[in-house]
Amino acid sequence: MSVAQRFLKFSSFAIVLAISYLFPRRESEWVFIAGEGDRFAENSKYLFLYCIKERDEISASWIGTSEGVVSELRESGFSAYKHDSILGRFRLLRAGVAIETHGPQFGKNLGGATVIDTHHGNALKKMGTDVSEANLGVMKRLKRYLWDSFVGPSNFVVTNIGTPLETFRKAKNLDSSKFIIAPYPRLDVFYQEDKNFNIRTCTQELDKISSMSEQHDIIFYTPTWRNAFGKENGFSLSNIKPNFEKIDRLLKQRDSFMYVSSHPHDELDIPYDQYERVFLLENGDDLYPFLQYCDILITDYSSIFYDFTFEDKPILFYAPDLEQYKSTRGLYFDYEEHVPGPVSESTDELCADLESALNGIDRYEKDRAELQEEFFTDCYEYPSYDAFSSICDEIS
């Protein structure tokens, strides 16, 4: 994109942002956005479903970029619009509250609204101003300046108390008054059942794994995305992926199955047709409804391991590029001291850890409990209920 095009894009953003302040906003109208708008997932999804089910006083609308997401939500009887449609823009311009997860999306239409960042989860990897500031171009810096000056990075950020609060306060360069202490709404999946949680998941795959889990151990491998903030973090997954042939042999011996869930922005080149026990997890937009069927989680630097402590099941860490990852992305904690499970750097080590877990050897129950106590706010009812109450208390 040329400098002239970037300038025109910035000018358009500034003009629409200014105009958006002229629209009267209604406190009872809330819009919900996840990621870049292409999925129905994350904390926004669960808080949206809670408001639809339990809060008649809130007019809740989902705003996205995907026609498939919008269509499926409408078929389920929910209010949903594409962000660039007339009604989508109208909802954004009238909303008194906007709930989002990955930084401001469609933010030029939200001048004067209260923006609540429910974020992606607890932070192990460095983020925000800790890593990104130096990688921003001039026009992006100007857009950030406008947003920070006239709207705010978000009016409020939802996080847990204690260590997470201190981490986010530093990463986002905000004072304590900008934070709302509440559980993450997506933790609802560990507290209750709701058929609407399965919207935009692959229900056929969900049913299949549910049935398999009754007789077999199910392992999920969920590596994190390795490209963020304009640079590669650690090594490419294609260069460090474990030897799935060895893993497949172990799984056959133990009559177990592994499902690989790649990050939505990443692709892991695995010849699944060559293996009997290793499969791609076709989870759709949202992995969380599948977690109840996972007996052992394998990950690296993904924040999913914090949430999985609610299942109180073994977590294994495969991090062959740990030193490279620390030097390129950076971590907030001493990795090997922090994570509640064994850390392996080779396939042989990973297979040994996996076999121990399949044998029922689990030395990390206490570590998981201590991590959960440190990183999660107490829940009085269930996560979305508590989060909604805390948000309303703060913005009222």
Side-chain angles (χ1 to χ4, degrees):
M1 187 181 294
S2 68
V3 174
Q5 289 174 317
R6 291 178 187 275
F7 180 76
L8 287 174
K9 189 174 181 180
F10 165 76
S11 299
S12 172
F13 176 89
I15 292 169
V16 175
L17 177 61
I19 293 173
S20 71
Y21 277 93
L22 302 177
F23 282 77
R25 296 189 176 273
R26 299 179 60 184
E27 293 182 4
S28 61
E29 290 200 16
W30 291 28
V31 292
F32 295 78
I33 306 154
E36 296 177 356
D38 56 340
R39 297 187 299 140
F40 186 59
E42 303 287 348
N43 289 309
S44 291
K45 167 183 175 176
Y46 293 91
L47 194 57
F48 171 75
L49 292 174
Y50 167 76
C51 287
I52 293 291
K53 182 179 180 181
E54 301 289 348
R55 296 293 176 175
D56 293 338
E57 73 272 23
I58 299 297
S59 175
S61 298
W62 189 267
I63 307 294
T65 60
S66 167
E67 184 62 50
V69 170
V70 169
S71 296
E72 188 166 342
L73 288 175
R74 285 182 174 176
E75 288 171 5
S76 299
F78 302 144
S79 172
Y81 306 93
K82 287 195 70 179
H83 76 291
D84 55 358
S85 68
I86 293 175
L87 288 176
R89 287 194 176 100
F90 178 74
R91 291 285 182 174
L92 287 166
L93 291 167
R94 287 295 303 274
V97 176
I99 306 291
E100 46 98 13
T101 64
H102 284 69
Q105 306 295 328
F106 325 132
K108 62 186 179 182
N109 298 302
L110 293 173
T114 299
V115 182
I116 310 291
D117 179 5
T118 59
H119 204 67
H120 178 57
N122 286 315
L124 168 68
K125 307 180 287 279
K126 287 191 175 181
M127 61 177 184
T129 56
D130 287 335
V131 292
S132 63
E133 197 68 38
N135 298 317
L136 293 177
V138 174
M139 293 304 169
K140 286 188 176 180
R141 285 174 183 265
L142 286 171
K143 281 182 69 175
R144 174 173 285 187
Y145 173 77
L146 276 182
W147 179 261
D148 290 356
S149 299
F150 297 102
V151 182
S154 287
N155 293 88
F156 297 99
V157 177
V158 174
T159 190
N160 293 282
I161 201 167
T163 300
L165 174 60
E166 294 305 313
T167 303
F168 276 93
R169 185 159 54 189
K170 180 176 179 293
K172 292 183 174 289
N173 194 26
L174 298 172
D175 61 55
S176 298
S177 65
K178 289 289 187 179
F179 289 92
I180 296 174
I181 306 303
Y184 288 130
R186 68 184 180 189
L187 298 179
D188 282 356
V189 296
F190 302 116
Y191 284 79
Q192 58 183 319
E193 295 183 3
D194 186 332
K195 63 182 179 61
N196 288 327
F197 291 166
N198 298 341
I199 294 175
R200 294 297 295 178
T201 64
C202 182
T203 53
Q204 184 176 359
E205 185 89 323
L206 193 64
D207 291 342
K208 174 185 172 184
I209 294 175
S210 170
S211 177
M212 290 174 60
S213 69
E214 295 175 3
Q215 299 182 30
H216 306 276
D217 285 315
I218 305 296
I219 299 100
F220 283 6
Y221 174 45
T222 62
T224 197
W225 186 37
R226 280 174 159 71
N227 286 281
F229 303 109
K231 62 180 181 180
E232 185 173 80
N233 307 152
F235 292 130
S236 168
L237 282 172
S238 297
N239 296 329
I240 62 166
K241 63 186 177 185
N243 185 326
F244 285 102
E245 186 175 346
K246 288 186 177 181
I247 292 174
D248 192 56
R249 287 199 297 267
L250 172 61
L251 295 172
K252 283 189 286 187
Q253 292 170 8
R254 302 307 306 263
D255 195 21
S256 303
F257 295 87
M258 173 181 284
Y259 282 85
V260 180
S261 177
S262 297
H263 190 278
H265 294 304
D266 213 345
E267 290 186 8
L268 187 54
D269 183 22
I270 300 175
Y272 293 102
D273 58 342
Q274 297 181 16
Y275 307 124
E276 295 181 26
R277 300 296 177 117
V278 179
F279 304 96
L280 173 66
L281 179 61
E282 301 282 359
N283 57 284
D285 286 353
D286 189 5
L287 172 63
Y288 273 64
F290 288 83
L291 291 181
Q292 62 186 307
Y293 305 117
C294 175
D295 297 296
I296 301 169
L297 178 71
I298 302 173
T299 188
D300 44 24
Y301 318 108
S302 172
S303 63
I304 193 174
F305 79 85
Y306 290 104
D307 294 351
F308 194 69
T309 61
F310 280 85
E311 285 288 279
D312 195 24
K313 296 175 182 177
I315 308 172
L316 312 181
F317 296 86
Y318 177 66
D321 63 341
L322 178 57
E323 294 306 316
Q324 177 70 10
Y325 200 92
K326 287 192 292 187
S327 66
T328 53
R329 175 67 182 266
L331 303 173
Y332 285 112
F333 312 101
D334 183 323
Y335 183 77
E336 291 172 298
E337 292 293 325
H338 181 72
V339 298
V343 178
S344 58
E345 296 186 4
S346 69
T347 301
D348 288 342
E349 291 176 351
L350 176 61
C351 286
D353 291 338
L354 179 55
E355 188 160 22
S356 292
L358 289 169
N359 284 332
I361 300 172
D362 182 5
R363 302 185 180 93
Y364 293 87
E365 299 100 322
K366 182 180 178 182
D367 300 82
R368 293 194 298 269
E370 289 177 349
L371 192 78
Q372 189 179 124
E373 183 177 356
E374 179 182 358
F375 278 79
F376 290 94
T377 299
D378 290 338
C379 198
Y380 296 102
E381 290 288 338
Y382 57 95
S384 283
Y385 177 96
D386 287 9
F388 180 85
S389 300
S390 296
I391 289 170
C392 288
D393 287 346
E394 189 65 47
I395 67 177
S396 63

